[in-house]
Amino acid sequence: MTRQPLLRRGPLMVMALLLVVTAMSLGPTPSSAAGADWWDPVARPAPDSQINVSGEPFRGTDAQGEVRGFVDAHNHIMANEAFGGRLICGKPFSAAGVAAALKDCPEHYPDGSLALFDFITNGGDGKHDPDGWPTFKDWPAHDSLTHQQNYYAWVERAWRGGQRVLVNDLVTNGVICSVYPFKDRSCDEMTSIRLQAKLTYDMQDYIDAMYGGPGKGWFRIVTDSAQAREVARQGKLAVVLGVETSEPFGCKQVLDIAQCDKADIDAGLDELYDLGVRSMFLCHKFDNALCGVRFDEGGLGTAINVGQFLSTGTFWQTEKCTGPQHDNPIGGAAAPGAEKELPAGVKVPSYAADAQCNKRGLTDLGEYAVRGLMQRKMMLEIDHMGVKATGRALDIFEAESYPGVISSHSWMDLNWTERVYRLGGFIAQYMHGSEQFGAEAARTKALRDKYDVGYGYGTDMNGVGGWPAPRGADAPNPVRYPFRSTDGSAVLDRQTTGQRTWDINTDGAAHYGLVPDWIEDVRLVAGQGVVDDLFRGAESYLDTWGASERHRAGVNLAKGSPASASSSESGIFTSYAPGRAVDGDRGTRWASDWSDDQWLRVDLGSTRTVGRVTLDWERAYAKAYRVEVSADGADWRSVWSTTTGDGGLDTALFPAVPARYVRVHALDRGTDWGYSLYEVGVHGG
């Protein structure tokens, strides 16, 4: 049974209610003294962070009925529970209060000497002042990758500043967990995902308790797009659950042998769906049994390649790319700390500069998982998938006219941009500095206008990625405090927590509460037009989600229909007859003789409306071919053609026409063999 997150209660709810009672007995905090405004809590825990925003959060939609507001398509609120529980220090909330939540990892005391991941990611010796509350001398900071950035009150400030959708990606990596010496729990990825999901619901309960009970808080976990739109109509924050792991459902591969099967994938997808998850990555950092990844670069890439070997027994393998898309160059930079973990005599391989694509694409199990996501109306995150895997996933979505594809934080090859928009998908850019963010937004502006879509950002906070550095107090067009939110309803001043006050000009994007300040910086540097597109982001994200929910698999008019061909290859033990291409079984195929001019014809039985034909090629594909239609099987006309076919799964779209017969007329072979099709699909317009 699907979980009902908005009604769920738990033990933490009781603790949170006790917290509210205690806070009320001590007297209301300044933010809730009046107690009459719906956006202020009945009683906030004391002491606690300030929000430093005044004004009523805007509600509802614009004059065209569209949701207004920003979308963060990629965040990791609960990453402190990932990687064994000690890599990201501090919590997004605690029933024991802010001092317990914003506290460093124990091994970081007294001076950060054992902050090993800080040393790896930030250079130097990793030393820092470990004290969080109340001084916050050294963290959170834009370049501190191991300290909490998503404290609930900071997320509240982002909501008050105009954000209306937040995707909380439940994240972990079993290999990083296993090699990191400090941990509180097992490294099983699904165990961590379950815990992070539970704690996200607990955070909702915690915030609800401040506002007087279930459903009254601003942090609302949603499980469908209509629910998200209603939350936005109320002026609150719709929180969507996603998943970003390296080996989901236990689907790792060891020496290229899958450690999961289709039953594991079905059980895993069903469990995630019941937890409320509606989008996910199928691979991340390491090749797994589902797909090959988009590489990391430089020394980090070398370190992750070592992790890939330790997890799977294989290093990344590359090949020459077949199109303009390519994966990141691996490079040859050393990573001594990681490389010393390799067995004696084993070295990271070198890679040819002209072979920049991951050889591993979308596996058969990966295709099964992609189709499983479609069946459950879930969305696929294509960032981190290698271009070979991404191309096949997009082929599948195009063949089914399925819009549920997301690129949430700039890890997609940019040449896919229009293909994603054409499907109805959504794109967000990583939270780069304002100059870089503006430049990339300008590069894709024409496509956003063409497809009439908004834009998003992916903060990736708590995601060990790094965030915008300060431009400096003397930089041109600094953010001047206080400033108004994009919609004009809120006034934001510098954000204060404890004894520390942050300024985007001199501190950069140190934590989530500075997201509105960063947006103001983007406005000043890149222009109002970029922010206007971002303000339409929530609507476009919900459009993609809603279209995915409404999608219905089209009827394949060709399935089981009579088929004939110009020729058929003969086999002693296997049939390659024309009917094999319309039997609904991707394990069978039609194969022609080994010559250029060949055709496969399907009789639909009666005149039907036809507007889309899908062709699933075996390795023997057509480089040039036409899709032709006929009313009588004698007079043919071409409705679609190509001279640049590259095999795989092709979708021919054309204005819908009446036809009884459909013919694939192959003219030029892409290989020395003939032509071979696993399956031909014919669909209405």
Side-chain angles (χ1 to χ4, degrees):
M1 180 179 293
T2 302
R3 191 174 192 172
Q4 299 298 320
L6 296 181
L7 301 177
R8 182 191 163 277
R9 301 277 72 79
L12 188 72
M13 182 64 180
V14 177
M15 297 178 67
L17 286 168
L18 289 173
L19 180 151
V20 170
V21 171
T22 301
M24 291 177 70
S25 69
L26 294 174
T29 62
S31 65
S32 59
D37 296 327
W38 67 268
W39 59 91
D40 281 328
V42 175
R44 192 183 299 279
D48 201 7
S49 173
Q50 297 180 37
I51 309 301
N52 306 104
V53 182
S54 61
E56 178 177 359
F58 62 88
R59 306 193 201 197
T61 57
D62 63 16
Q64 289 72 44
E66 294 187 347
V67 167
R68 300 182 297 160
F70 306 114
V71 54
D72 180 357
H74 194 103
N75 190 19
H76 301 292
I77 296 176
M78 296 297 168
N80 57 291
E81 302 295 346
F83 318 111
R86 296 269 281 275
L87 191 66
I88 307 295
C89 306
K91 302 176 182 180
F93 75 101
S94 172
V98 64
L102 297 181
K103 183 178 181 180
D104 213 338
C105 293
E107 60 273 8
H108 287 197
Y109 291 87
D111 61 358
S113 295
L114 290 180
L116 303 182
F117 204 73
D118 276 302
F119 171 77
I120 294 170
T121 58
N122 206 15
D125 55 12
K127 290 187 176 181
H128 63 274
D129 184 337
D131 287 340
W133 178 270
T135 58
F136 298 106
K137 179 181 177 182
D138 287 338
W139 67 270
H142 73 91
D143 57 353
S144 174
L145 309 188
T146 64
H147 293 96
Q148 181 61 241
Q149 296 174 295
N150 281 311
Y151 186 59
Y152 91 90
W154 300 336
V155 178
E156 180 179 348
R157 177 178 162 91
W159 159 62
R160 294 282 300 273
Q163 189 168 303
R164 289 299 176 266
V165 178
L166 184 157
V167 180
N168 179 32
D169 282 315
L170 316 175
V171 63
T172 194
N173 181 293
V175 174
I176 292 176
C177 172
S178 66
V179 300
Y180 194 64
F182 306 108
K183 58 183 69 73
D184 294 331
R185 58 185 67 97
S186 83
C187 294
D188 179 73
E189 291 191 353
M190 289 304 292
T191 299
S192 179
I193 294 305
R194 294 181 191 106
L195 175 61
Q196 292 177 53
K198 174 188 178 298
L199 288 173
T200 307
Y201 287 99
D202 287 348
M203 182 164 156
Q204 177 178 257
D205 291 346
Y206 177 81
I207 295 170
D208 276 355
M210 293 183 202
Y211 284 78
K216 294 188 176 181
W218 51 268
F219 185 94
R220 314 305 316 147
I221 300 170
V222 296
T223 55
D224 61 57
S225 63
Q227 201 175 42
R229 289 182 179 280
E230 174 59 21
V231 167
R233 189 192 67 78
Q234 297 171 7
K236 299 182 180 182
L237 179 67
V239 179
V240 185
L241 296 185
V243 164
E244 183 183 40
T245 63
S246 293
E247 295 161 352
F249 329 129
C251 281
K252 69 185 299 178
Q253 56 95 3
V254 178
L255 299 176
D256 289 320
I257 299 174
Q259 305 299 298
C260 69
D261 57 23
K262 291 179 179 179
D264 295 320
I265 293 170
D266 281 331
L269 286 173
D270 286 343
E271 179 183 10
L272 291 179
Y273 191 92
D274 286 346
L275 287 173
V277 172
R278 295 297 181 266
S279 68
M280 71 175 298
F281 295 78
L282 291 182
C283 52
H284 177 240
K285 299 304 182 183
F286 303 147
D287 293 346
N288 60 26
L290 306 177
C291 49
V293 295
R294 185 167 166 82
F295 311 128
D296 281 82
E297 302 181 55
L300 179 60
T302 300
I304 293 174
N305 204 4
V306 169
Q308 152 113 359
F309 180 86
L310 295 175
S311 176
T312 70
T314 59
F315 290 106
W316 288 327
Q317 298 179 59
T318 64
E319 63 183 10
K320 290 185 178 180
C321 303
T322 58
Q325 296 83 9
H326 58 80
D327 293 320
N328 294 321
I330 299 173
E339 291 176 88
K340 71 180 181 181
E341 301 291 333
L342 291 170
V346 176
K347 294 184 178 180
V348 178
S350 58
Y351 296 93
D354 63 346
Q356 203 173 313
C357 281
N358 193 331
K359 189 174 182 180
R360 192 179 190 87
L362 192 66
T363 68
D364 289 343
L365 286 174
E367 291 202 21
Y368 187 81
V370 168
R371 296 182 188 280
L373 288 170
M374 285 195 295
Q375 290 167 6
R376 293 163 178 83
K377 314 300 182 186
M378 297 170 71
M379 295 177 286
L380 172 67
E381 294 262 12
I382 58 173
D383 287 2
H384 290 298
M385 293 176 78
V387 296
K388 188 174 182 179
T390 301
R392 181 65 179 182
L394 293 177
D395 286 346
I396 293 171
F397 278 10
E398 286 170 344
E400 300 292 340
S401 295
Y402 188 76
V405 57
I406 304 289
S407 173
S408 61
H409 66 331
S410 299
W411 263 83
M412 172 190 75
D413 186 289
L414 297 177
N415 289 297
W416 296 126
T417 302
E418 183 160 18
R419 199 170 172 190
V420 171
Y421 282 147
R422 189 185 302 122
L423 269 168
F426 181 77
I427 294 175
Q429 186 188 159
Y430 189 84
M431 189 185 185
H432 292 121
S434 52
E435 288 126 338
Q436 184 178 350
F437 192 92
E440 172 56 18
R443 191 194 68 82
T444 55
K445 172 64 174 171
L447 285 175
R448 290 197 300 280
D449 289 345
K450 177 180 178 179
Y451 291 94
D452 192 24
V453 293
Y455 204 30
Y457 49 81
T459 63
D460 200 20
M461 289 206 171
N462 285 3
V464 198
W467 298 273
R471 289 199 296 123
D474 298 329
N477 296 324
V479 172
R480 301 188 184 280
Y481 294 91
F483 64 89
R484 283 200 171 272
S485 60
T486 298
D487 67 290
S489 65
V491 176
L492 298 94
D493 210 339
R494 292 175 179 83
Q495 198 282 319
T496 297
T497 303
Q499 299 170 14
R500 176 77 185 271
T501 297
W502 283 270
D503 183 319
I504 193 75
N505 300 299
T506 54
D507 296 307
H511 62 68
Y512 207 80
L514 297 175
V515 168
D517 311 53
W518 168 77
I519 292 172
E520 174 68 1
D521 197 49
V522 169
R523 184 186 72 82
L524 293 167
V525 172
Q528 183 65 44
V530 177
V531 177
D532 289 344
D533 280 1
L534 288 173
F535 202 63
R536 294 184 59 204
E539 171 64 25
S540 287
Y541 179 89
L542 295 179
D543 277 346
T544 294
W545 189 6
S548 303
E549 293 168 328
R550 294 187 297 273
H551 179 266
R552 296 293 180 267
V555 176
N556 180 4
L557 303 175
K559 185 177 179 181
S561 296
S564 57
S566 55
S567 65
S568 295
E569 184 181 342
S570 60
I572 299 175
F573 302 108
T574 305
S575 170
Y576 300 107
R580 295 291 187 169
V582 291
D583 60 3
D585 183 352
R586 290 187 177 86
T588 63
R589 60 189 175 93
W590 163 71
S592 77
D593 288 348
W594 294 14
S595 59
D596 282 329
D597 195 349
Q598 303 285 341
W599 52 262
L600 176 77
R601 184 178 74 172
V602 180
D603 180 357
L604 303 179
S606 62
T607 300
R608 310 295 294 269
T609 300
V610 177
R612 176 165 54 98
V613 172
T614 59
L615 306 170
D616 195 354
W617 296 98
E618 194 250 357
R619 285 179 297 172
Y621 67 93
K623 185 162 57 176
Y625 67 94
R626 298 192 298 260
V627 174
E628 301 170 334
V629 298
S630 172
D632 57 8
D635 295 324
W636 295 91
R637 66 185 180 101
S638 175
V639 291
W640 189 92
S641 65
T642 184
T643 58
T644 58
D646 58 359
L649 182 57
D650 287 347
T651 298
L653 286 170
F654 47 88
V657 295
R660 171 172 174 171
Y661 299 92
V662 175
R663 185 168 72 178
V664 180
H665 194 161
L667 305 170
D668 186 11
R669 288 173 293 162
T671 69
D672 291 334
W673 302 304
Y675 304 101
S676 185
L677 282 162
Y678 286 118
E679 202 69 20
V680 174
V682 178
H683 304 269

